Each structure stands twice: as structure tokens, then as C-alpha cells.
Amino acid sequence: MLYGFDIGGTKIELAVFNHKLEQQYSERVDTPKSSYKDWLDCISTLVEKADKRFACQGSVGLGIPGFVNQENGLAEITNIRVADNKPILKDLSERLGREVRAENDANCFALSEAWADENQQYPFVLGLILGTGFGGGLVFNGKIHSGQIGMAGELGHLQLNYHALKLLGWDKAPIYSCGCGNHACLDTYLSGRGFEMLYRDLKGEGLSAQEIIRRFYLGDESAVDFVRIFTELCAISIGNIITALDPHVIILGGGLSNFDYLYQALPQALPSHLMRSALVPPIKKAKYGDSGGVRGAAALFLSR
């Protein structure tokens, strides 16, 4: 059996899958915050319960909000302080008597989608999350590309370019600080919270993303103009990513991926930001939604 964990700052979810990635069982518990030992104990207990339930020693994959540095083995997961800067894979592997693998949760999302039956035709799947933040995952032939130290796909920390600043207005473009310590990262513009902050700063009214979208569909002039700007901003930024990576398909996840207008507007807006011979890849909505993280973590042990 394949065990997938979605490790969050608030909750830890375990889901068990067969080798067809069909879910058999799941359990969710609060994330321990008291000590690293308690955090390790929590995961170990969930694995041992699953082993007993399914009478096997399942593979263990973790989806984490960060990454494990491949050079020193230390986890970089700043929103789970008890496990940050700890050798989580070494310690869990020793406790559980088996290999444990981990990947960034955005990579797990992309991997889950790449293993969907309808997406296995694509050699290179690019997953983009437009949620609380903006991030990505790169999957080549069913395997995540993590890069030299494990941070490949951190597309949210690319920064606004000339065309984006020109679109937003040189003298009025809001420049947001990012949690990474830099400014004008895509994470603070193409995310759900970026959508709301941009509307506030460009249109002078604080609204939720849901309300902005509702007004857009009602034909509200301010909302319609804002969505035009936001779509163009997405096209500029994603166009750069397509130019660099040339994916066969793009899968969108996160809250803003449910804004169906984007699937009509983005393919129309992208060509002017690409090279003449470039192809706009199919842009599809994620199939597995919130379950993609655990499913992708479980798929870390699959190969084509």
C-alpha cells in the first residue's frame, strides 16, 4: 500500500492508496506543536496504525509546506517550527524501518494530477497553485523535478517584470513585501490574497475574492476592468514560465482555479507574451482538489 501524508501547520492527514492510487482509508489529526519528538511520534503512530489495519508495511511519502534540502538533509518548513531545520527523513526512516520520501506540497499536487489517467499522455506536467500563495510543481514522465537542493518549482518567488509593472502603472503599482524577504514576488500577486490586495489598491475597495468574482459575472464595471488587468498580469507572468519551461500541459489548483473565466481568458491573452513559434499548452482545472496533496505524496513511490 502507498501512504501519503499532507503535513500542514494545523493538521496532519494520512491517506492510504492502492497502486492504482485509489484511496482506501484516511485519518486527520492536529499537528503537534509541543516538540519535535511529539511530531515524529504522531507520524509514526499513524503509520503503525495503517500497517496494522492493512497487514503490510506501506511506503511513506510526505507532502510538506517547504522542502528537504537535498545537500544537508534538513527540512525547511518554517511554519512548522518543531520540525524546521531537522533531519526529518533520516529520523522517520530510522523509526519506521523503511525509506521515507518528502516533497513540497505544490510538487505533490502536480504529481497527483500528472498521474490522472487523462494526463498521463503528457510528458511534462506543470502544476500551478493560485491559492493562499502562488507556487508550482514540475513533473517529467511521472517524476517530480526537485532541482539541486529541492526548491525547483518555487515559481511564486519569481518577481514582477517590466511588462507587469507597466500594466499596473509605473507610479501607482503596489509593491508588496514577501515572506521570503524580497519584494514584488508573484506569490503576493497571483494568489488569492494577491487578487484581493490588488483590487483594494487599484480600485479602492476591500472585497473578498468571491465578491469580486460575483460582481464580475454581474457585469460590474470596476470588477470587469480589474479582472482584465489580473488576467493580463497572469498572462505576462505565466507566459515567462512557459517560455522558460515549455510544458505540455498546465494544471491549475487552489481557490482561484475555480474562477472558470480564467480557462477562457488565459489562452487568449497568452500568445502576445510568447515567442512566435510557441504553443499555448492546454490549461486545465485540477481534478483532485484538496485530496491532491496526500495522493501526490503517496505517488512519490510510483514510476512509469
Side-chain angles (χ1 to χ4, degrees):
M1 302 298 282
L2 305 170
Y3 302 169
F5 280 87
D6 185 3
I7 309 289
T10 304
K11 299 287 184 182
I12 292 176
E13 180 181 3
L14 162 68
V16 177
F17 298 83
N18 62 23
H19 279 72
K20 295 182 179 179
L21 284 180
E22 298 166 334
Q23 185 170 316
Q24 308 297 302
Y25 166 78
S26 68
E27 183 173 356
R28 182 178 292 190
V29 299
D30 293 337
T31 302
K33 298 180 173 64
S34 49
S35 71
Y36 180 50
K37 178 181 180 301
D38 288 344
W39 187 84
L40 293 173
D41 287 345
C42 176
I43 295 173
S44 300
T45 298
L46 288 169
V47 169
E48 290 159 4
K49 286 174 63 177
D51 283 351
K52 185 175 181 180
R53 183 185 184 96
F54 293 96
C56 71
Q57 190 176 80
S59 61
V60 179
L62 311 179
I64 60 175
F67 64 95
V68 175
N69 188 310
Q70 295 181 9
E71 293 196 334
N72 60 27
L74 300 179
E76 297 196 25
I77 40 179
T78 55
N79 68 334
I80 306 178
R81 294 187 179 279
V82 295
D84 185 37
N85 208 36
K86 299 291 197 302
I88 64 172
L89 297 185
K90 174 180 176 293
D91 291 342
L92 283 171
S93 295
E94 289 177 354
R95 277 174 171 250
L96 297 171
R98 72 200 78 173
E99 180 187 5
V100 178
R101 299 178 182 177
E103 277 290 350
N104 175 266
D105 47 15
N107 287 341
C108 289
F109 152 76
L111 185 62
S112 173
E113 297 297 326
W115 277 92
D117 289 343
E118 61 268 34
N119 293 331
Q120 291 193 38
Q121 62 181 300
Y122 301 112
F124 174 19
V125 175
L126 171 62
L128 296 178
I129 295 179
L130 290 77
T132 304
F134 174 73
L138 318 177
V139 180
F140 295 90
N141 296 314
K143 286 290 187 181
I144 292 170
H145 173 70
S146 301
Q148 181 176 348
I149 65 167
M151 68 176 188
E154 290 286 352
L155 303 173
H157 300 292
L158 300 176
Q159 294 159 6
L160 295 183
N161 67 7
Y162 165 89
H163 298 285
L165 291 169
K166 181 180 178 182
L167 171 71
L168 296 177
W170 295 112
D171 57 346
K172 64 176 183 179
I175 303 300
Y176 303 130
S177 59
C178 179
C180 73
N182 287 322
H183 294 82
C185 291
L186 298 185
D187 190 71
T188 55
Y189 294 84
L190 303 191
S191 58
R193 75 181 189 280
F195 189 81
E196 294 172 349
M197 291 191 301
L198 279 172
Y199 190 87
R200 178 197 67 201
D201 293 336
L202 296 180
K203 297 299 180 181
E205 187 176 8
L207 298 175
S208 68
Q210 292 87 345
E211 178 61 16
I212 296 165
I213 292 169
R214 187 187 74 84
R215 292 188 184 190
F216 166 79
Y217 282 124
L218 290 175
D220 176 83
E221 182 178 347
S222 179
V224 168
D225 184 61
F226 172 74
V227 168
R228 175 191 63 79
I229 294 170
F230 184 79
T231 300
E232 187 69 7
L233 182 63
C234 286
I236 291 167
S237 304
I238 294 173
N240 282 342
I241 295 168
I242 292 172
T243 298
L245 300 177
D246 197 18
H248 290 87
V249 66
I250 296 175
I251 311 292
L252 301 184
L256 280 180
S257 72
N258 295 312
F259 185 15
D260 289 340
Y261 174 75
L262 292 176
Y263 300 94
Q264 166 194 335
L266 271 176
Q268 295 174 355
L270 276 166
S272 63
H273 301 291
L274 299 174
M275 296 178 67
R276 183 178 64 245
S277 59
L279 297 175
V280 176
I283 300 175
K284 304 169 67 173
K285 184 187 293 189
K287 179 177 181 178
Y288 293 100
D290 291 342
S291 66
V294 288
R295 189 173 181 275
L300 292 173
F301 283 83
L302 292 179
S303 62
R304 290 182 186 165

